[in-house]
């Protein structure tokens, strides 16, 4: 059987590294791919890397080099902030190949995946270029219609089908990977809006970007033909309260829950920022409460797409936190007692989740949870500033908020050992807190 060690000249002639090192970098990326909210069929990747570079099914060099770039990043020693020489080399090659792929409209699905991985690399390192690179991902994602995939079931294209920016998927698995790629881009769009002040989400449901792509399932379900035409629930159904029962028994795949969770957080923030009131708030609260019930406990293990064998499921830590963050955002400015109770309960649950983590668990978390903690902590500071101005700076409520703030700072400090780019944001939070006194 072929292995990653049997890679073609496409990779190692450009890298100047041995096959063994290249193999190790690919394996390191695959072991850490969930930190990029990324999924790929390892068998198909391995087989495609063993194709001749003239084969149309061979991955574009931009995608291969992006994988190697992230493999290098995840190979860094703990708390290291400096780039390794190979990272600079693979980043340079990835960017050059992205330009070539776009100019030639060559294997644009690989372009999107590679571009997204570069965005994650920039995000992990705290580079401002993340939003510029994401804009390229989103542009090509929408040009290729990945936001409007109507069905999770593959159909052979008609010989008379019009050829667009991207060729039709070859089979069920390729269709599934494109669905995953869209939701990966969607997730990045929402996380960058939290990480980079002033960034406005581009993938927003509406007339300019009508999203119908179904929620993602496990890749092996697509590969085995275990998806149904009935499984068409998407973003619009969630936000409009159009509940579509799944044909699958609980629990649901983590990829789907993760996409739903970040969508609810984004919608809750939008409702608050635009000061929307009335039925839309009530309906969104209902959807958030339904979602909280659907998300399993963070200790849940099983065939949900996660890596088993740990007491704490890192992806469920993130998804659970998303569910309560959405509730907090939506209710923290509410004037009625029910809203205040939801807000307080949501923060209590986020802190409870955080307190269940051991120090080693932080190394398996997605950086996105850090930006949720930062965003919530920013709101805490504004609440404390208001209480201080009103002469209630030493009230029980102020002390509770300060204790919760300290819990998030402690969690962020642990997380920053694995994502040093969070360090400056932690420092800014502490400076803002000190300015209140």
């Amino acid at each position: 059987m072929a292995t990653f060690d049997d890679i073609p000249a496409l990779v190692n002639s450009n890298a100047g590294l041995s096959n063994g090192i290249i193999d190790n970098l690919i394996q390191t990326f695959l072991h850490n791919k969930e930190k990029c909210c990324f999924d790929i069929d390892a068998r198909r990747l391995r087989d495609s890397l063993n194709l001749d570079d003239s084969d149309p099914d061979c991955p574009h060099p931009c995608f291969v080099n992006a994988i190697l770039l992230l493999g290098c990043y995840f190979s860094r020693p703990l708390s290291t902030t400096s780039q390794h020489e190979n990272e600079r080399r693979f980043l340079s090659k990835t960017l050059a190949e992205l330009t070539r792929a776009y100019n030639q409209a060559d294997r644009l699905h690989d372009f999107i995946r590679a571009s997204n991985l570069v965005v994650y690399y920039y995000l992990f390192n705290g580079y401002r270029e993340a939003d510029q690179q994401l804009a390229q991902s989103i542009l090509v994602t929408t040009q290729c219609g990945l936001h409007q995939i109507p069905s999770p079931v593959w159909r052979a294209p008609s010989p008379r089908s019009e050829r667009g920016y991207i060729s039709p998927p070859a089979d069920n698995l390729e269709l599934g990977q494109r669905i995953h790629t869209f939701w990966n881009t969607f997730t990045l769009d929402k996380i960058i809006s939290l990480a980079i002040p002033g960034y406005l989400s581009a993938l927003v449901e509406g007339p300019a970007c009508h999203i119908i792509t179904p929620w993602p399932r496990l890749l092996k379900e697509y590969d085995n033909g275990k998806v149904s035409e009935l499984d068409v629930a998407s973003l619009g159904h969630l936000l409009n309260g159009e509940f579509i029962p799944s044909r699958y028994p609980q629990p649901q795949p983590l990829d789907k829950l993760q996409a739903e969770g970040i969508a609810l957080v984004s919608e809750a923030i939008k409702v608050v920022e635009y000061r929307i009131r009335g039925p839309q708030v009530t309906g969104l609260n209902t959807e958030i409460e339904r979602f909280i019930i659907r998300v399993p406990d963070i200790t849940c293990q099983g065939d949900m797409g996660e890596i088993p064998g740990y007491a704490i499921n890192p992806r469920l830590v993130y998804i659970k936190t998303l569910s309560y963050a959405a509730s907090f955002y939506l209710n923290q400015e509410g004037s009625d007692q029910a809203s205040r109770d939801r807000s307080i309960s949501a923060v209590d649950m986020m802190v409870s989740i955080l307190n269940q983590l051991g120090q080693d668990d932080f190394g398996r978390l997605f950086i996105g949870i850090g930006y949720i903690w930062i965003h919530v902590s920013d709101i805490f500071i504004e609440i404390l500033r208001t209480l201080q101005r009103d002469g209630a700076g030493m009230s029980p409520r102020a002390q509770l908020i300060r204790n919760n703030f300290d819990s998030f700072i402690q969690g962020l400090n642990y997380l920053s050992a694995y994502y040093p780019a969070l360090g400056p944001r932690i420092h800014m939070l502490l400076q803002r807190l000190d300015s209140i006194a």
Side-chain angles (χ1 to χ4, degrees):
M1 178 182 294
T3 68
F4 288 119
D5 199 38
D6 303 318
I7 54 179
L10 162 71
V11 178
N12 64 3
S13 67
N14 291 330
L17 301 173
S18 70
N19 279 10
I21 293 175
I22 296 294
D23 173 66
N24 185 62
L25 292 175
I26 296 173
Q27 297 287 6
T28 299
F29 167 76
L30 291 174
H31 182 70
N32 290 278
K33 68 183 188 298
E34 290 180 352
K35 295 177 186 175
C36 302
C37 300
F38 192 90
D39 202 6
I40 188 170
D41 184 80
R43 172 187 54 80
R44 181 159 294 190
L45 174 64
R46 179 199 64 216
D47 292 344
S48 68
L49 287 173
N50 284 280
L51 296 172
D52 186 82
D53 58 4
S54 62
D55 192 304
D57 291 328
C58 182
H60 196 281
C62 66
F63 185 41
V64 178
N65 279 287
I67 288 174
L68 296 173
L69 171 66
L70 270 296
C72 286
Y73 176 82
F74 289 125
S75 299
R76 283 184 187 178
L78 192 63
S79 298
T80 300
T81 58
S82 59
Q83 284 184 320
H84 187 275
E85 178 184 351
N86 286 329
E87 285 183 46
R88 291 190 290 270
R89 178 187 304 170
F90 287 126
L91 177 59
S92 176
K93 289 185 176 297
T94 302
L95 295 176
E97 292 293 349
L98 280 169
T99 299
R100 188 166 69 93
Y102 183 76
N103 289 340
Q104 298 176 357
D106 182 16
R107 288 166 281 184
L108 290 179
H109 183 217
D110 284 349
F111 172 95
I112 300 167
R113 293 193 288 185
S115 181
N116 284 355
L117 291 179
V118 172
V119 177
Y120 280 112
Y121 180 77
Y122 287 156
L123 184 63
F124 296 155
N125 286 283
Y127 298 162
R128 283 285 311 199
E129 296 92 334
D131 57 346
Q132 300 168 27
Q133 189 65 50
L134 178 58
Q136 295 184 35
S137 293
I138 291 172
L139 173 64
V140 179
T141 293
T142 52
Q143 284 179 335
C144 293
L146 296 194
H147 63 308
Q148 294 188 328
I149 297 174
S151 170
V153 176
W154 178 78
R155 294 286 183 269
S158 165
R160 293 188 298 275
S161 297
E162 293 185 14
R163 189 174 182 85
Y165 286 99
I166 189 171
S167 58
D171 54 25
N172 278 317
L173 179 55
E174 188 174 333
L175 174 63
Q177 291 192 143
R178 292 187 186 188
I179 291 172
H180 273 252
T181 296
F182 169 73
W183 289 110
N184 183 256
T185 309
F186 180 90
T187 295
L188 266 175
D189 180 54
K190 306 311 173 191
I191 291 300
I192 294 295
S193 70
L194 295 174
I196 299 181
Y199 175 83
L200 298 177
S201 293
L203 290 173
V204 178
E205 170 62 20
C209 183
H210 183 42
I211 296 169
I212 65 172
T213 299
W215 300 115
R217 302 290 311 176
L218 297 178
L219 285 180
K220 67 181 181 181
E221 291 179 302
Y222 297 102
D223 195 25
N224 296 334
K226 292 186 177 179
V227 290
S228 167
E229 291 281 9
L230 300 175
D231 297 308
V232 294
S234 187
L235 180 63
H237 301 100
L238 179 72
L239 300 184
N240 295 327
E242 300 172 21
F243 181 68
I244 298 180
S246 174
R247 66 184 286 267
Y248 299 89
Q250 297 284 11
Q252 299 176 72
L254 300 188
D255 298 302
K256 175 179 183 289
L257 292 174
Q258 183 171 275
E260 289 180 299
I262 196 66
L264 289 171
V265 165
S266 177
E267 188 70 8
I269 292 173
K270 184 182 78 173
V271 164
V272 172
E273 288 181 347
Y274 287 93
R275 301 195 174 280
I276 298 170
R277 297 291 184 265
Q280 187 170 344
V281 176
T282 303
L284 186 56
N285 255 322
T286 299
E287 288 306 314
I288 292 171
E289 289 172 358
R290 284 177 177 169
F291 183 70
I292 288 172
I293 293 170
R294 285 194 286 125
V295 179
D297 186 76
I298 64 173
T299 59
C300 179
Q301 302 295 322
D303 189 17
M304 299 173 61
E306 79 278 11
I307 301 173
Y310 297 99
I312 297 292
N313 186 318
R315 297 187 68 190
L316 281 171
V317 170
Y318 175 53
I319 296 167
K320 273 286 192 185
T321 298
L322 287 175
S323 69
Y324 292 114
S327 182
F328 170 73
Y329 290 138
L330 189 62
N331 293 286
Q332 49 95 12
E333 291 188 357
S335 58
D336 59 287
Q337 188 61 44
S339 294
R340 288 193 291 270
D341 289 346
R342 288 192 194 98
S343 177
I344 292 170
S345 175
V347 172
D348 287 345
M349 292 307 300
M350 282 190 281
V351 172
S352 173
I353 292 168
L354 174 54
N355 289 338
Q356 292 180 63
L357 302 179
Q359 192 165 345
D360 291 341
D361 291 321
F362 288 89
R364 298 185 292 116
L365 294 179
F366 171 47
I367 193 174
I369 197 171
Y371 288 110
I372 293 290
W373 292 339
I374 288 170
H375 202 249
V376 172
S377 297
D378 271 327
I379 295 173
F380 285 167
I381 290 172
E382 291 309 310
I383 296 173
L384 289 171
R385 194 184 305 278
T386 300
L387 291 173
Q388 182 78 4
R389 186 182 63 238
D390 295 343
M394 300 301 293
S395 65
R397 184 188 180 202
Q399 188 57 52
L400 176 62
I401 292 172
R402 179 58 194 264
N403 290 341
N404 289 332
F405 177 90
D406 290 343
S407 293
F408 286 132
I409 290 295
Q410 182 180 44
L412 285 165
N413 281 327
Y414 284 134
L415 193 61
S416 67
Y418 302 94
Y419 299 110
L422 294 174
R425 296 295 296 272
I426 299 170
H427 182 66
M428 289 173 61
L429 282 173
L430 294 174
Q431 281 187 321
R432 290 187 62 215
L433 182 67
D434 288 343
S435 71
I436 296 175

